[in-house]
């Protein structure tokens, strides 16, 4: 049985408090009996509505749970999605402030930027390529408001699909100019290879994930607009991050994206660097 | 170093197990003092026999080129082994398996060298300059050890599980590609069984050649012009059986298709 509205709001408020207080809560699935994926999206909606009310603005979507490995781990054989807002974006080469994140990990992905609305159902990968202005390399720094990342699908969906912050690379590539299925990825941490992957790991090919999203949003009656940024799903396993790390993602035929991590943000990293140089 | 007589005997055991395929016990069981250098000394003996039989060396291959595999084996350099001219099968062919015990296939990038490379500290740039072209490759591995269970010393003596290899798809100039980020998808009978990026090999497959040339230098050798080098599996090695169709796609490098005979 679906959770009632009061319960949905209570769960969403809990997540908002955790998000604002930089803390975690126990998994929702253990505490809200009968919670299903539909309930979880309603909780996400409440959680995000309160954030929009406080001034955040939607700039796009993220798609999660797109790889076979993660789907098997979580026991769900379709992706999920969350909302990207303006305050989540970090400029390319910028620094993610670890003090403002709880338990972040990095994922390297292919981002799509739409030039036309995509209104599902019935959207195919063909429609996605047609409606895409460009693709670019990106990092999504995922984060969880659930204790120790102890998540099942209901927990992560309610928690805005474990979205943290994101970084877009600068190169903008027309999807007609690259083989998205075979786009290879190398991630280096301070110059050492730490992760590799390929576009095919995302639902067979990244446009398939975007088509899934358009159709899912269409069914839910949610808009999917020209100009939105879509993070289409991780090409490689999650990468742990710590103060002082600098990550670079190279995606074949698409481009490069870079991000650093520091407690206290860029200023702190700068001070660390100066101390190291001195 | 083991006695020459012991190394000769090991070469006999491996050569027989490869010629009339059967599994053998790890060589270290009888000779626990066997070293990695002993393993390579067995390879040298195998080569001498094979050349005496009229077979010729066409190149070299690197194995254990991913960080995960190196950590698993407790080593910090790849293993190297010999590629003979008669181990190569054409693209689109059926790979003979009558001499194979439990074959596995992995996808990787092959380099074809146009200039000799030598020295202790060859750079990636020098390697790319000395390369004629790069091309997709499939390597068919087969261990002569029970269930592919071996230690590093034994597997090196077994020519690092080499069996067959195929090169195909588009030859490309190495500087026309970013060799860190060539995406690969390998399918068996139409199902994706492995995905990878070429950077899975030490961040850049030319690093395998860098370590190979350094290793050769330590043995007073060079990498001859014209050599084929298989730089190491970007994907994991997947078990195959008779009748399987193996298909691998490489970003901007085309594809290779073979059948397992």
């Amino acid at each position: 049985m679906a959770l009632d509205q009061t319960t949905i709001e209570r769960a969403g408020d809990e997540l908002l408090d955790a998000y604002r207080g930089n803390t975690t809560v126990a998994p929702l699935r253990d505490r809200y009996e009968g919670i299903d994926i539909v309930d979880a999206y309603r909780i996400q909606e409440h959680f995000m509505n309160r954030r929009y009310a406080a001034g955040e603005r939607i700039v796009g979507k993220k798609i999660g749970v797109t790889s076979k490995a993660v789907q098997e781990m979580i026991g769900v054989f379709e992706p999920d999605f969350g909302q990207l807002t303006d305050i989540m974006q970090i400029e390319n080469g910028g620094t993610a402030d670890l003090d403002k994140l709880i338990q972040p990990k990095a994922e390297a992905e292919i981002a799509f930027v739409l030039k036309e609305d995509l209104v599902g159902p019935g959207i195919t990968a063909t429609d996605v390529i047609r409606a895409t202005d460009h693709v670019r390399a990106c990092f999504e720094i995922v984060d969880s408001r659930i204790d120790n990342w102890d998540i099942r699908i209901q927990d992560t969906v309610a928690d805005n699909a474990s979205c943290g912050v994101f970084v877009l690379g600068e190169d903008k590539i027309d999807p007609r100019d690259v083989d998205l299925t075979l786009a290879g990825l190398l991630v280096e941490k301070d110059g050492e290879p730490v992760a590799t992957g390929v576009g095919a790991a995302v639902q067979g090919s990244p446009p398939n994930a975007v088509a899934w999203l358009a159709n899912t949003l269409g069914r839910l009656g949610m808009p999917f607009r020209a100009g939105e940024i879509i993070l289409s799903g991780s090409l490689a396993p999650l990468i742990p991050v710590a103060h002082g790390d600098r990550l670079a993602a190279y995606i074949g035929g698409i481009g490069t994206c870079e991000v650093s991590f520091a407690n206290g943000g860029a200023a702190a990293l700068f001070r660390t660097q100066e101390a190291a140089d001195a | 170093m083991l006695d020459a007589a012991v190394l000769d005997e090991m070469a006999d055991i491996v050569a027989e197990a490869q010629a009339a395929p059967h599994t053998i016990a790890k060589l270290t069981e009888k000779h626990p003092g066997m070293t990695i250098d002993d393993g390579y000394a067995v390879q040298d003996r195998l080569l001498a026999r094979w050349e005496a039989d009229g077979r010729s060396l066409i190149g070299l291959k690197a194995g254990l080129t991913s960080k995960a595999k190196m950590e698993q084996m407790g080593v910090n350099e790849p293993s190297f082994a010999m590629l003979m001219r008669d181990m190569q099968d054409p693209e689109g062919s059926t790979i003979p398996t009558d001499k194979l015990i439990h074959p596995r296939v992995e996808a990787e990038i092959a380099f074809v060298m146009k200039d000799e490379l030598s020295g202790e500290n060859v750079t990636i740039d020098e390697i790319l300059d000395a390369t004629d072209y790069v091309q997709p490759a499939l390597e068919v591995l087969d261990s002569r050890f029970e269930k592919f269970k071996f230690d590093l010393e034994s597997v090196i003596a077994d020519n690092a599980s080499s069996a067959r290899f195929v090169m195909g798809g588009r030859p490309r100039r190495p500087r026309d590609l970013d060799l860190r980020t060539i995406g690969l998808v390998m399918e068996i009978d139409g199902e994706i069984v492995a995905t990878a990026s070429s950077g899975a090999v030490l961040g850049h497959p030319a690093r395998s050649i860098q370590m190979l040339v350094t290793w050769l230098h330590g043995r007073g050798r060079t990498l001859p012009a014209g050599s084929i080098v298989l730089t190491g599996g970007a994907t994991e090695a997947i078990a195959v059986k008779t009748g399987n169709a193996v298909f691998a796609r490489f970003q901007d490098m085309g594809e290779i298709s073979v059948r397992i005979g």
Side-chain angles (χ1 to χ4, degrees), chain B residues 36 39-40 43 59-65 70 76-83 152 155-162 202 207-216 219 221 223 229-232:
Chain B
I36 287 171
Y40 286 117
Q43 274 193 24
L60 295 165
K61 66 160 225 181
L64 306 177
T65 47
M70 280 191 201
N76 48 25
E77 70 173 13
S79 63
F80 304 108
M82 305 170 292
L83 299 173
L152 190 61
V155 73
I156 287 171
D158 185 28
N159 200 26
S161 309
S162 305
L202 302 167
R207 293 214 180 110
S208 276
I209 299 184
Q210 203 172 25
M211 296 174 105
L212 171 64
V213 174
T214 303
W215 175 81
L216 286 168
R219 295 165 57 90
R221 291 165 57 190
L223 181 63
V229 183
L230 298 184
T231 52

Side-chain angles (χ1 to χ4, degrees), chain B:
Chain B
M1 197 87 191
L2 295 172
D3 286 348
V6 173
L7 295 170
D8 286 340
E9 187 199 351
M10 285 180 171
D12 287 339
I13 292 169
V14 172
E16 260 169 54
Q18 294 193 3
H22 61 273
T23 54
I24 53 177
K26 281 188 286 195
L27 301 175
T28 46
E29 273 178 22
K30 195 168 163 195
H31 298 283
M34 182 183 183
T35 63
I36 287 171
D37 281 343
D38 290 325
Y40 286 117
V42 174
Q43 274 193 24
D44 291 342
R45 284 163 166 76
L46 289 173
L47 180 62
R49 282 159 203 236
W50 292 341
E51 287 183 331
D53 291 344
R55 301 175 66 189
S56 62
L57 189 69
I58 196 174
L60 295 165
K61 66 160 225 181
L64 306 177
T65 47
S66 74
K67 221 173 171 179
K69 280 190 197 164
M70 280 191 201
E71 273 166 16
Q72 193 190 332
M73 298 299 283
V75 293
N76 48 25
E77 70 173 13
S79 63
F80 304 108
M82 305 170 292
L83 299 173
M84 308 306 288
R85 186 171 286 276
D86 60 9
M87 287 165 54
Q88 188 171 1
D89 292 309
E91 179 178 14
S93 69
T94 297
I95 294 181
T97 53
D98 51 320
K99 294 275 172 73
L100 304 183
I101 302 163
H102 37 207
R104 296 181 181 184
V105 177
E106 61 186 23
E108 61 197 274
I109 292 186
F111 281 62
V112 177
M113 310 310 298
K114 66 178 176 210
D115 299 321
E116 182 186 46
L117 280 172
S118 61
E120 199 175 354
N121 294 307
V122 66
T123 65
I124 298 290
D125 265 344
E126 287 167 337
I127 291 166
L128 299 183
D129 285 342
T131 300
D132 185 354
Y133 63 91
V134 292
Q135 203 180 22
L138 289 175
E139 191 183 351
V140 181
L141 300 167
D142 192 31
S143 178
R144 268 53 67 167
F145 301 107
E146 201 72 51
K147 294 183 178 159
F148 262 89
K149 296 258 184 284
F150 44 66
D151 44 44
L152 190 61
E153 296 80 5
S154 299
V155 73
I156 287 171
D158 185 28
N159 200 26
S161 309
S162 305
R164 316 291 312 166
F165 71 98
V166 182
M167 288 163 60
R170 291 176 67 183
R172 297 292 309 261
R173 290 178 194 87
R175 294 208 189 267
D176 291 345
L177 298 168
D178 183 345
L179 287 171
R180 299 171 302 175
T181 58
I182 304 294
L184 296 84
V185 173
M186 185 162 75
E187 296 174 11
I188 295 180
D189 296 341
E191 193 180 328
I192 294 178
V193 292
T195 57
S197 165
S198 55
V201 174
L202 302 167
H204 191 306
R207 293 214 180 110
S208 276
I209 299 184
Q210 203 172 25
M211 296 174 105
L212 171 64
V213 174
T214 303
W215 175 81
L216 286 168
H217 179 77
R219 295 165 57 90
R221 291 165 57 190
T222 64
L223 181 63
S227 296
I228 291 170
V229 183
L230 298 184
T231 52
T235 65
E236 56 188 317
I238 308 291
V240 288
K241 55 183 195 300
T242 299
N244 281 160
V246 182
F247 179 65
R249 294 178 274 163
F250 291 63
Q251 186 183 21
D252 299 328
M253 295 180 78
E255 57 212 30
I256 311 184
S257 172
V258 291
R259 192 168 282 279
I260 305 299

